[in-house]
Amino acid sequence: MRCLQVRRGAVAVAVLLLTVSLSSNDFVSADESTVAVELFDAIDSKQVSVQFIALDANRANVLIENNTNHVLHLELPDAIAAVPVLAQFGFGGQQAGFGAQQGQGGQNSGGNQSVGGGFQQGAQPGGNAFGNNFGNVGGGNARQNDGFGMGFMRIAAQKTRKLVATTVCLEQGKPEPNAKVKYQMIRIEQYTQDERLIELCQQLALENVSQKVAQAVAWHYANGLRWEELGKLNRIESRYLGNIRMFRQQELNDAKAFVEALEKSSNENSQMLPGSSLSQDLSLSQDLSVFQDLTVSQRSAVLMAR
């Protein structure tokens, strides 16, 4: 199923975003043979091995090892998810095996929270997925690309590169991620088919939204928490210091603005399904329940028509 795409240079492109750590080993000579491959395809074919180390709720180290004898030119996904290894009873063969229901990714998985995010590439010139409807929200840096390569990275033969992922938690109420818990990075479409959540992770990767604002939106979408409920969540509960809220009011206001802009964009880009009996006014924002009741192939037809 095709997700909302971040079109670079115009309308920006699809869940655990990233600063690249470079060393002298990262540079390769021009005469070395190079193979281009998408990251998850490289994982599936065992050309690379990946360790996803969730440091906390906000970020993770991602170690990518080139198992081949040639240079790899890796295409990085626009968004990713990661799940605790012991929670993977639903993994393997099913596109949304981690979630019992649409948009409820992995709530039956047990253990620590799953996470979503993406590899940080910096905001691209020409806008983002929201066009002129939405800008930088909640303190995101909106950095220009600093050599990361428009979603690509090179890795020399038999070498390891480290990326740092900025993430959001996707299962409010469960323990936060930590480095002692083993995680596996997966395609975000394997975790959720909620296009809003996928787009959120993409915009976090592009630094068009701050991590705290994205966290509020993530729990709103993934766990169905209302804004009032999010406003009552405590980050710290102390008999001496009192309760310290998880989110400031401004962060919740920014989260609401993000959701409004996202659904406005979805409304403007949605189109009628060919041959369907749905109203021509169908949009993700106005009738999400109808959209979620469609089959996977019908959803794909809607999204591919954009």
Side-chain angles (χ1 to χ4, degrees):
M1 182 179 68
R2 181 177 176 182
C3 54
L4 300 176
Q5 296 296 310
V6 176
R7 297 182 181 87
R8 288 166 170 81
V11 180
V13 188
V15 269
L16 315 150
L17 301 150
L18 314 182
T19 304
V20 181
S21 205
L22 295 176
S23 71
S24 59
N25 292 330
D26 295 320
F27 298 94
V28 297
S29 61
D31 59 351
E32 289 188 70
S33 62
T34 302
V35 174
V37 61
E38 194 275 333
L39 175 59
F40 281 110
D41 289 342
I43 295 173
D44 293 342
S45 61
K46 301 188 185 306
Q47 295 180 75
V48 300
S49 301
V50 173
Q51 294 183 61
F52 188 96
I53 305 170
L55 303 177
D56 51 33
N58 306 328
R59 61 195 180 95
N61 288 335
V62 182
L63 304 179
I64 303 176
E65 180 181 2
N66 183 351
N67 297 327
T68 74
N69 294 319
H70 49 255
V71 178
L72 290 178
H73 190 61
L74 294 176
E75 178 184 358
L76 301 175
D78 297 294
I80 59 171
V83 296
V85 170
L86 295 179
Q88 294 182 31
F89 64 89
F91 183 67
Q94 296 186 4
Q95 188 173 23
F98 293 95
Q101 301 177 10
Q102 167 73 15
Q104 300 295 317
Q107 289 200 63
N108 291 332
S109 60
N112 297 68
Q113 293 198 56
S114 299
V115 297
F119 298 110
Q120 182 178 347
Q121 299 170 42
Q124 301 299 317
N128 52 45
F130 305 107
N132 294 325
N133 297 328
F134 199 70
N136 180 253
V137 174
N141 294 326
R143 298 188 311 174
Q144 295 300 311
N145 190 293
D146 57 0
F148 194 37
M150 295 291 287
F152 291 85
M153 65 171 284
R154 289 170 64 87
I155 178 170
Q158 303 296 324
K159 298 297 183 181
T160 299
R161 292 280 299 269
K162 183 182 83 168
L163 304 177
V164 179
T166 302
T167 59
V168 290
C169 291
L170 300 176
E171 298 174 279
Q172 196 280 323
K174 291 184 178 181
E176 290 191 358
N178 65 76
K180 295 181 179 180
V181 178
K182 186 175 181 180
Y183 275 77
Q184 179 180 351
M185 187 177 73
I186 61 172
R187 293 176 173 88
I188 196 167
E189 294 85 0
Q190 290 179 270
Y191 182 85
T192 181
Q193 294 181 10
D194 189 329
E195 299 300 328
R196 306 163 304 172
L197 196 56
I198 293 173
E199 181 70 19
L200 169 67
C201 291
Q202 291 177 338
Q203 293 303 317
L204 181 58
L206 292 169
E207 297 188 57
N208 287 326
V209 60
S210 73
Q211 195 278 338
K212 286 298 295 292
V213 171
Q215 183 61 81
V217 176
W219 283 338
H220 176 70
Y221 279 147
N223 306 125
L225 293 183
R226 299 186 301 273
W227 301 119
E228 313 85 73
E229 295 174 307
L230 288 166
K232 294 178 181 178
L233 292 178
N234 293 325
R235 179 170 58 86
I236 296 176
E237 296 181 356
S238 170
R239 60 186 299 181
Y240 303 107
L241 301 177
N243 296 338
I244 299 178
R245 297 299 190 191
M246 179 73 69
F247 303 105
R248 301 193 305 270
Q249 186 58 51
Q250 185 59 53
E251 291 168 338
L252 292 176
N253 291 342
D254 288 342
K256 293 177 187 178
F258 184 98
V259 167
E260 290 172 1
L262 174 59
E263 297 190 354
K264 179 180 179 181
S265 177
S266 298
N267 181 34
E268 291 175 349
N269 288 295
S270 62
Q271 296 185 19
M272 174 69 176
L273 272 173
S276 75
S277 60
L278 295 177
S279 165
Q280 293 187 5
D281 293 329
L282 173 65
S283 69
L284 295 181
S285 59
Q286 294 175 333
D287 203 345
L288 280 170
S289 61
V290 173
F291 184 79
Q292 292 173 350
D293 287 339
L294 301 179
T295 65
V296 171
S297 59
Q298 286 175 320
R299 292 179 191 169
S300 297
V302 171
L303 297 170
M304 292 180 68
R306 293 192 172 122

